[in-house]
Amino acid sequence: MSEEVEETRTSEEQQEMEDKVISPEKSEEAKLKARYPNLGAKPGGSEFLRKRLQKGQKYFDSGDYNMAKAKMKNKQLPSAPTEKTEITGGHIPTPQDLPQRKTSIVASKLAG
Amino acid sequence: RMCPGGDMQWCFSQVKGAIDDDVAEADIISTVEFNHTGELLATGDKGGRVVIFQQEIENKNQPQFRSEYNVYSTFQSHEPEFDYLKSLEIEEKINKIRWLPQKNAAQFLLSTNDKTIKLWKISERDKRPEGYNLKEEDGRYKDPNTITSLRVPVLKPMDLMVEASPRRVFANAHTYHINSVSVNSDNETYLSADDLRINLWHLEITDRSFNIVDIKPANMEELTEVITAAEFHPHQCNTFVYSSSKGTIRLCDMRVSALCDKHSKLFEEPEDPSNRSFFSEIISSISDVKFSHNGRYMMTRDYLSVKIWDLNMENRPVETYQVHEYLRSKLCSLYENDCIFDKFECCWNGNDSVVMTGSYNNFFRMFDRGHRRDVTLEASRENSKPMQVLKPRKVCTGGKRKKDEISVDSLDFNKKILHTAWHPQDNIIAVATTNNLYIFQDKVN
């Protein structure tokens, strides 16, 4: 039985080697699958697309968002310890992890 | 003044933006667009700001120096918002700017972020009334009892002031993220497209829009493709196209039915199934679609190529140009660093003889359709002496690297040119790097 398995592997390897010669794309695919063995076969699947549709930072709810904003305001005092140590577990993104949100209108440097 | 497209020599003209390497997110340029005469050039950025440049009147004494673009107006178009219902941030990034053809003294443009489209009026004021009866010159109100005679206020010249004001806000019509707006040739309507739907608006009406395409499946588990770009035909007001993440383009005729879910034409290049790989669908996703000015062709940009389609031929493009084919053997790393999802735009020159698109390492590519020539140029501060001619660049794909060539592994994938624009008549181009805007001109012989 082990002999059969070995034969199958050899023919697969053979196909892979042929693909490398034929298509750089296929060889890149093999590289990717080697790094991420759990990668699904179809990248264009609905899960992938749905993630794309949902682009944008998500908060658990608006209360969470406003609490995080308030925390950030309070933390602007110099005595505040580093906020990062207080974020434990759940990785809910907070505004301080995000690019600075403007509070006043800053002119574009293109107009400078 | 239309150049036939052969033997163009591109020279540096101007660069806008900060020199420092530390780029603030807000300064990332997200869209570039000339108006219909080319006199105005608008940019939008991730910080929701619009900057408009105006071409100065040409200096007739020095014809070799084409006129320069200087700041005309700048304003905050969109602000960051929070969708409380979905607990989602709405970015203020300007996804697209589209100019309306000029009808009167004022200029109008549409600017959009992910959710809301705004119509901005940009108008000039170079006179102001003086000699009010009830107000002092500084604006303070006079005591009416002190007024003994009446006079007619007169208009006196003043320093030019350019004002931008939002005239319409078209909101709450998109569940998903807006990727395109396109003004119809009828100058009354425009379309806006998000990942799954396309809406038709009247420029005067903000509380209603018609849904003309809806590809959302009843069951989201069945979702297989999304809309990536849409555009109205330049002359036929009933015709528009939209591209998909699967590399197809659908042409729709609004006269056929109110809901254009059924296309009139489907443009798709057949694929050899034996060549199919994990990356095939991702790199076939169309990031931009643009009609030619003459309305007979359309151009699409996918990750590695630019394709020109004849509107009368659906089964394959008439021309295909490789932008950076050497990246095909780098797809694994480009997938890991997300560059494979970069959305490059493309544009036509005024007479549809040359097309242009961006690449990495601040390179951009031009394809001369008639002369079957292509060139790679670079937007960089090193080549920014006044009127300096740009030297063609070359990427070495393997083997011995010649002097002046750059190897694929040395390319900077953080330096992407996603947005380029070509003046509607002249050989003047605007090329956006991450946070700088370069203007190049063809050397006038």
Side-chain angles (χ1 to χ4, degrees), chain A residues 25-26 28 35-36 43 106, chain B residues 49 274 277 328-329 332 336:
Chain A
E25 220 175 287
K26 289 241 169 89
E28 287 295 297
R35 288 185 204 175
Y36 307 99
V106 178
Chain B
R49 301 161 302 188
S274 65
S277 77
R328 201 180 287 271
S329 49
C332 180
E336 289 179 297

Side-chain angles (χ1 to χ4, degrees), chain A residues 22-26 28-33 35-36 39-50 52-62 65-66 69 95 98-99 101-102 105-112, chain B residues 16-18 25 27 43 45 47 49 51 53 71 76 80 82 84 86-89 91-92 114 176-177 195-196 220-221 223-226 228 274 276-281 283 328-332 335-336 341 343 435:
Chain A
I22 296 166
S23 155
E25 220 175 287
K26 289 241 169 89
E28 287 295 297
E29 179 180 23
K31 221 190 274 180
L32 191 69
K33 293 215 158 129
R35 288 185 204 175
Y36 307 99
L39 202 60
K42 238 168 74 79
S46 72
E47 202 185 290
F48 171 80
L49 286 174
R50 274 184 292 167
R52 178 190 168 141
L53 296 182
Q54 234 187 34
K55 147 201 124 166
Q57 286 293 104
K58 204 171 164 81
Y59 293 85
F60 183 71
D61 61 25
S62 66
Y65 171 81
N66 283 308
K69 252 194 0 188
L98 298 175
R101 289 212 150 304
K102 322 180 289 301
I105 293 166
V106 178
S108 164
K109 293 194 183 128
L110 291 183
Chain B
K16 309 280 185 192
E25 282 247 357
D27 292 325
T43 60
D45 66 22
R49 301 161 302 188
V51 181
F53 303 93
V71 180
Q76 187 78 32
F82 191 80
Y84 285 92
K86 294 178 189 152
S87 295
L88 273 177
E89 274 184 352
E91 261 196 301
E92 66 274 38
D114 283 339
Y176 302 99
H177 298 108
D195 291 309
L196 297 179
M220 283 297 265
E221 310 258 316
L223 183 67
T224 55
E225 62 185 326
V226 294
T228 52
S274 65
R276 199 158 176 80
S277 77
F278 176 87
F279 304 110
S280 299
E281 191 172 304
I283 62 173
R328 201 180 287 271
S329 49
K330 300 284 170 197
L331 292 177
C332 180
Y335 179 85
E336 289 179 297
F341 301 107
K343 295 187 177 62
N435 64 327

Side-chain angles (χ1 to χ4, degrees), chain B residues 310-377:
Chain B
D310 183 324
L311 295 185
N312 296 316
M313 190 159 76
E314 298 167 62
N315 60 352
R316 61 176 173 80
V318 289
E319 293 153 42
T320 300
Y321 301 104
Q322 301 303 334
V323 181
H324 36 219
E325 178 66 15
Y326 46 79
L327 295 184
R328 201 180 287 271
S329 49
K330 300 284 170 197
L331 292 177
C332 180
S333 13
L334 293 168
Y335 179 85
E336 289 179 297
N337 62 19
D338 275 351
C339 283
I340 205 175
F341 301 107
D342 285 335
K343 295 187 177 62
F344 293 94
E345 292 173 5
C346 53
C347 60
W348 298 83
N349 74 338
N351 63 6
D352 301 328
S353 59
V354 185
V355 296
M356 169 167 67
T357 190
S359 178
Y360 295 105
N361 209 70
N362 283 347
F363 287 174
F364 57 101
R365 302 265 285 137
M366 283 187 192
F367 303 95
D368 186 331
R369 300 172 63 208
H371 294 81
R372 294 178 199 278
R373 275 202 293 245
D374 63 86
V375 70
T376 304
L377 300 171

Side-chain angles (χ1 to χ4, degrees), chain B residues 181-439:
Chain B
V181 289
S182 178
V183 184
N184 202 346
S185 53
D186 68 7
N187 288 337
E188 287 187 350
T189 59
Y190 75 94
L191 63 75
S192 57
D194 67 32
D195 291 309
L196 297 179
R197 298 192 177 102
I198 303 178
N199 294 330
L200 180 71
W201 301 83
H202 191 286
L203 285 163
E204 300 288 322
I205 298 167
T206 58
D207 62 356
R208 252 171 303 161
S209 85
F210 289 99
N211 176 244
I212 52 177
V213 173
D214 188 340
I215 65 167
K216 181 170 191 247
N219 179 1
M220 283 297 265
E221 310 258 316
E222 290 162 27
L223 183 67
T224 55
E225 62 185 326
V226 294
I227 296 168
T228 52
E231 191 174 67
F232 264 120
H233 190 277
H235 315 133
Q236 295 164 19
C237 57
N238 52 287
T239 303
F240 66 92
V241 293
Y242 68 93
S243 57
S244 86
S245 52
K246 277 178 133 175
T248 63
I249 310 100
R250 287 172 176 80
L251 183 142
C252 301
D253 185 337
M254 295 195 294
R255 298 169 301 187
V256 173
S257 68
L259 188 61
C260 297
D261 277 359
K262 204 156 169 282
H263 54 262
S264 297
K265 292 192 186 184
L266 173 66
F267 297 83
E268 188 174 14
E269 183 166 25
E271 196 202 359
D272 182 357
S274 65
N275 277 337
R276 199 158 176 80
S277 77
F278 176 87
F279 304 110
S280 299
E281 191 172 304
I282 302 174
I283 62 173
S284 73
S285 177
I286 292 171
S287 48
D288 195 15
V289 63
K290 292 264 171 46
F291 278 104
S292 60
H293 291 94
N294 62 21
R296 288 165 47 201
Y297 299 95
M298 66 178 173
M299 164 167 55
T300 57
R301 175 70 154 98
D302 52 72
Y303 190 61
L304 297 178
S305 68
V306 159
K307 293 179 181 170
I308 312 279
W309 303 79
D310 183 324
L311 295 185
N312 296 316
M313 190 159 76
E314 298 167 62
N315 60 352
R316 61 176 173 80
V318 289
E319 293 153 42
T320 300
Y321 301 104
Q322 301 303 334
V323 181
H324 36 219
E325 178 66 15
Y326 46 79
L327 295 184
R328 201 180 287 271
S329 49
K330 300 284 170 197
L331 292 177
C332 180
S333 13
L334 293 168
Y335 179 85
E336 289 179 297
N337 62 19
D338 275 351
C339 283
I340 205 175
F341 301 107
D342 285 335
K343 295 187 177 62
F344 293 94
E345 292 173 5
C346 53
C347 60
W348 298 83
N349 74 338
N351 63 6
D352 301 328
S353 59
V354 185
V355 296
M356 169 167 67
T357 190
S359 178
Y360 295 105
N361 209 70
N362 283 347
F363 287 174
F364 57 101
R365 302 265 285 137
M366 283 187 192
F367 303 95
D368 186 331
R369 300 172 63 208
H371 294 81
R372 294 178 199 278
R373 275 202 293 245
D374 63 86
V375 70
T376 304
L377 300 171
E378 182 181 1
S380 78
R381 293 270 175 178
E382 282 84 56
N383 306 323
S384 49
K385 287 195 275 292
M387 299 309 284
Q388 178 179 358
V389 177
L390 295 183
K391 215 169 60 149
R393 306 288 281 131
K394 194 140 164 45
V395 176
C396 161
T397 51
K400 286 178 94 172
R401 185 178 71 89
K402 296 201 189 96
K403 185 174 95 106
D404 286 351
E405 284 186 357
I406 180 166
S407 75
V408 183
D409 296 310
S410 308
L411 295 174
D412 189 341
F413 290 95
N414 290 317
K415 295 191 174 163
K416 322 171 199 247
I417 290 179
L418 304 174
H419 313 286
T420 60
W422 205 308
H423 188 287
Q425 280 123 33
D426 299 340
N427 279 342
I428 301 172
I429 56 176
V431 174
T433 59
T434 306
N435 64 327
N436 284 173
L437 183 72
Y438 286 79
I439 298 170

